[in-house]
Amino acid sequence: MEVALNWYLALGALLFTIGTLGVLFKRNAIVLLMSIELMLNAVNLTLVAFSQFMGDADGQILVLFSIAVAAAEAAVGLAIVIAIFRGKSTVDITEINLFKH
Protein backbone atom coordinates (compact mmCIF):
# COMPACT_ATOMS: atom_id res chain seq x y z
CA MET A 1 0.00 0.00 0.00
CA GLU A 2 1.44 3.31 -1.08
CA VAL A 3 0.56 6.57 0.61
CA ALA A 4 -0.29 9.40 -1.77
CA LEU A 5 1.79 12.58 -1.92
CA ASN A 6 -1.16 14.65 -0.73
CA TRP A 7 -1.17 12.90 2.65
CA TYR A 8 2.49 13.70 3.22
CA LEU A 9 1.93 17.31 2.24
CA ALA A 10 -1.10 17.55 4.53
CA LEU A 11 0.89 16.10 7.42
CA GLY A 12 3.76 18.49 6.72
CA ALA A 13 1.37 21.44 6.65
CA LEU A 14 -0.26 20.31 9.89
CA LEU A 15 3.09 19.92 11.66
CA PHE A 16 4.27 23.29 10.37
CA THR A 17 1.05 24.93 11.59
CA ILE A 18 1.42 23.37 15.04
CA GLY A 19 5.03 24.60 15.18
CA THR A 20 4.02 28.08 14.09
CA LEU A 21 1.32 28.25 16.75
CA GLY A 22 3.85 27.09 19.33
CA VAL A 23 6.27 29.85 18.34
CA LEU A 24 3.57 32.50 18.36
CA PHE A 25 1.72 31.62 21.56
CA LYS A 26 4.11 29.87 23.94
CA ARG A 27 6.51 31.79 26.17
CA ASN A 28 8.64 28.88 27.40
CA ALA A 29 12.04 28.91 25.67
CA ILE A 30 12.26 25.13 25.52
CA VAL A 31 8.80 24.84 23.96
CA LEU A 32 9.87 27.54 21.52
CA LEU A 33 12.90 25.48 20.49
CA MET A 34 10.75 22.37 20.12
CA SER A 35 8.28 24.30 17.97
CA ILE A 36 11.07 25.51 15.69
CA GLU A 37 12.34 21.94 15.38
CA LEU A 38 8.80 20.79 14.54
CA MET A 39 8.59 23.39 11.78
CA LEU A 40 11.97 22.31 10.41
CA ASN A 41 10.98 18.65 10.43
CA ALA A 42 7.72 19.49 8.67
CA VAL A 43 9.73 21.08 5.87
CA ASN A 44 12.04 18.05 5.82
CA LEU A 45 9.04 15.73 5.53
CA THR A 46 7.70 17.74 2.63
CA LEU A 47 11.08 17.72 0.92
CA VAL A 48 11.42 13.94 1.31
CA ALA A 49 7.87 13.44 0.04
CA PHE A 50 8.56 15.50 -3.07
CA SER A 51 11.88 13.75 -3.56
CA GLN A 52 10.21 10.35 -3.38
CA PHE A 53 7.42 11.50 -5.68
CA MET A 54 9.89 12.78 -8.27
CA GLY A 55 12.03 9.64 -7.99
CA ASP A 56 15.19 11.60 -7.21
CA ALA A 57 17.31 10.93 -4.13
CA ASP A 58 18.90 14.40 -4.02
CA GLY A 59 16.16 15.76 -1.75
CA GLN A 60 16.63 12.94 0.71
CA ILE A 61 20.37 13.60 0.86
CA LEU A 62 19.67 17.28 1.43
CA VAL A 63 17.34 16.35 4.30
CA LEU A 64 20.11 14.32 5.93
CA PHE A 65 22.34 17.41 5.94
CA SER A 66 19.43 19.48 7.19
CA ILE A 67 18.83 17.07 10.07
CA ALA A 68 22.53 17.24 11.02
CA VAL A 69 22.43 21.04 11.04
CA ALA A 70 19.18 20.98 13.01
CA ALA A 71 20.73 18.72 15.63
CA ALA A 72 23.63 21.15 16.05
CA GLU A 73 21.21 24.08 16.19
CA ALA A 74 19.13 22.34 18.85
CA ALA A 75 22.22 21.60 20.93
CA VAL A 76 23.38 25.22 20.77
CA GLY A 77 19.88 26.53 21.48
CA LEU A 78 19.45 24.22 24.45
CA ALA A 79 22.87 25.25 25.80
CA ILE A 80 21.83 28.90 25.54
CA VAL A 81 18.56 28.18 27.36
CA ILE A 82 20.41 26.33 30.11
CA ALA A 83 22.90 29.21 30.49
CA ILE A 84 20.04 31.70 30.74
CA PHE A 85 18.22 29.47 33.23
CA ARG A 86 21.30 29.33 35.44
CA GLY A 87 21.48 33.12 35.52
CA LYS A 88 17.81 34.08 35.62
CA SER A 89 16.21 30.91 37.08
CA THR A 90 13.46 31.09 34.47
CA VAL A 91 12.87 29.99 30.88
CA ASP A 92 9.95 32.36 30.32
CA ILE A 93 10.96 34.56 27.40
CA THR A 94 8.87 37.49 28.63
CA GLU A 95 11.05 37.69 31.75
CA ILE A 96 14.36 37.35 29.90
CA ASN A 97 15.77 40.66 28.72
CA LEU A 98 19.45 40.31 27.94
CA PHE A 99 19.82 43.67 26.17
CA LYS A 100 18.48 45.80 29.02
CA HIS A 101 21.86 47.10 30.25
Side-chain angles (χ1 to χ4, degrees):
M1 182 175 143
E2 186 173 319
V3 180
L5 176 65
N6 293 338
W7 288 103
Y8 289 113
L9 298 179
L11 179 62
L14 178 67
L15 291 175
F16 193 85
T17 303
I18 292 171
T20 302
L21 292 175
V23 168
L24 292 177
F25 296 116
K26 294 295 182 182
R27 297 293 163 232
N28 187 326
I30 295 174
V31 174
L32 202 68
L33 280 175
M34 289 172 46
S35 297
I36 292 170
E37 289 296 320
L38 190 61
M39 291 168 58
L40 183 63
N41 284 326
V43 172
N44 286 338
L45 176 66
T46 303
L47 187 58
V48 166
F50 274 122
S51 174
Q52 180 68 27
F53 180 72
M54 301 293 280
D56 189 12
D58 290 343
Q60 296 172 8
I61 294 170
L62 180 64
V63 166
L64 284 177
F65 286 115
S66 174
I67 290 172
V69 171
E73 173 258 332
V76 170
L78 191 57
I80 291 171
V81 169
I82 289 172
I84 290 172
F85 179 75
R86 285 184 179 163
K88 301 279 185 179
S89 297
T90 184
V91 290
D92 188 0
I93 61 171
T94 59
E95 297 177 13
I96 299 170
N97 190 356
L98 298 177
F99 297 115
K100 190 173 183 179
H101 298 285

